[in-house]
């Protein structure tokens, strides 16, 4: 599939999610390339007057910058008592709507915002749909820096192969918006029980959060290209 087709598909699925946002709502703004289009289209709907009285809660520095660029007023969890809808991407989606997120190292904030939302809409392209989580994409685990070595040992004890995520075009490891490190974990046979593993990992002292999103997704919007034409379907 050409880069142009992929871009078109991401735009279409981002627009489909943005079209579901209603006036007077608090919107969780996710992180990543597909969600970036949703943020852009929400901003365009505001400018056209199709939407009014929207407030966004960003899940990352990237989302915050984009929201400001497209004129979406921002608020915080201290200021609101609800989130009506959250729009976010995913790195893998299984048939039970369980997700792996964290390719952009923003999964801790994303999980807070996405799990608080009345409705969590996931926007992905068809390449993110998998039969089983963890076979293709490594599971991100956010760790407090001083605990990195003991946490990696504990993960090895669970049968995982942990690697510290290193920066691209940056010397040294990736540092999250919270100032922590990310360990990417490979499970040779994939993840058998996402719900159990999510809890087990989060119980390791020094782990802040991991990229398993269990029972949080309400709607999955999937972008596809058929005969060169982008389309969006709901799972």
């Amino acid at each position: 599939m050409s880069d142009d087709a992929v871009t078109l598909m991401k735009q279409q699925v981002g627009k489909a999610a943005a079209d579901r946002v209603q006036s007077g709502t608090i919107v969780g703004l996710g992180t990543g390339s597909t969600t970036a289009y949703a943020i852009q289209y929400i901003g365009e709907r505001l400018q056209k007057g199709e939407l009014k009285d929207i407030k966004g809660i960003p899940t990352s520095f990237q989302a915050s910058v984009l929201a400001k660029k497209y004129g979406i007023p921002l608020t915080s969890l201290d200021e609101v008592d609800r989130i009506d809808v959250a729009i976010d991407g995913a790195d893998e989606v299984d048939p039970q709507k369980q997700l792996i997120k964290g390719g952009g190292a923003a999964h801790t904030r994303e999980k807070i915002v996405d799990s608080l939302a009345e409705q969590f809409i996931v926007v992905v392209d068809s390449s993110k749909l998998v039969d089983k989580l963890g076979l293709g994409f490594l599971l991100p685990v956010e760790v407090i820096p001083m605990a990195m070595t003991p946490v990696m040992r504990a993960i090895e004890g669970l049968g995982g192969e942990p690697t510290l995520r290193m920066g691209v075009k940056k010397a040294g490891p990736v540092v999250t918006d919270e100032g922590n490190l990310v360990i990417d974990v490979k499970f040779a046979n994939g993840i058998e029980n996402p719900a159990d593993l999510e809890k087990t990992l989060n119980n390791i002292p020094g782990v802040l959060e991991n990229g398993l999103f269990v029972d949080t997704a309400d709607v999955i919007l999937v972008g596809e290209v058929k005969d060169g034409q982008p389309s969006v379907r709901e799972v």
Side-chain angles (χ1 to χ4, degrees):
M1 198 185 300
S2 73
D3 288 348
D4 289 348
V6 171
T7 300
L8 208 55
M9 178 169 69
K10 287 183 173 186
Q11 287 172 332
Q12 292 280 3
V13 75
K15 187 173 185 308
D19 286 344
R20 294 183 177 224
V21 174
Q22 296 175 352
S23 291
T25 54
I26 311 286
V27 187
L29 303 173
T31 304
S33 56
T34 308
T35 317
Y37 289 116
I39 294 172
Q40 178 186 335
Y41 289 121
I42 291 168
E44 287 177 6
R45 288 188 66 203
L46 274 171
Q47 280 154 23
K48 287 180 193 160
E50 286 176 23
L51 272 181
K52 290 186 176 70
D53 190 27
I54 290 289
K55 284 196 175 137
I57 295 191
T59 57
S60 64
F61 184 66
Q62 182 216 21
S64 175
V65 168
L66 284 170
K68 286 171 186 164
K69 178 180 174 183
Y70 294 114
I72 301 170
L74 295 179
T75 185
S76 72
L77 294 176
D78 295 329
E79 307 293 323
V80 300
D81 58 3
R82 68 178 204 283
I83 299 174
D84 298 293
V85 61
I87 299 170
D88 212 342
D91 298 296
E92 286 191 341
V93 181
D94 79 3
Q96 286 73 47
K97 291 189 188 174
Q98 314 301 21
L99 319 173
I100 288 183
K101 290 174 52 50
H107 50 285
T108 299
R109 287 194 191 187
E110 288 170 344
K111 196 178 280 191
I112 293 166
V113 170
D114 297 343
S115 60
L116 286 171
E118 291 289 317
Q119 186 184 48
F120 173 27
I121 300 173
V122 180
V123 289
V124 289
D125 60 74
S126 52
S127 71
K128 306 291 171 68
L129 302 180
V130 297
D131 293 329
K132 186 180 187 182
L133 295 178
L135 283 173
F137 197 86
L138 304 179
L139 176 64
V141 180
E142 183 165 348
V143 179
I144 293 164
M146 69 168 281
M148 183 189 76
T149 303
V151 167
M152 287 174 94
R153 275 195 216 110
I155 287 170
E156 284 169 354
L158 296 172
E161 295 171 36
T163 329
L164 180 63
R165 187 183 298 183
M166 302 307 283
V168 178
K169 298 185 181 174
K170 169 196 176 293
V174 167
V175 179
T176 69
D177 286 352
E178 268 63 58
N180 297 312
L181 303 174
V182 177
I183 294 170
D184 289 312
V185 186
K186 180 175 198 281
F187 290 95
N189 300 316
I191 295 167
E192 298 296 343
N193 191 323
D196 282 356
L197 185 62
E198 181 182 34
K199 291 190 187 96
T200 302
L201 287 170
N202 281 357
N203 274 334
I204 300 171
V207 170
L208 188 61
E209 190 52 87
N210 69 80
L212 283 167
F213 282 53
V214 175
D215 298 337
T216 53
D218 297 302
V219 175
I220 316 276
L221 295 178
V222 183
E224 296 173 306
V225 174
K226 287 178 180 162
D227 306 324
Q229 292 302 309
S231 64
V232 178
R233 68 183 171 97
E234 184 178 327
V235 176

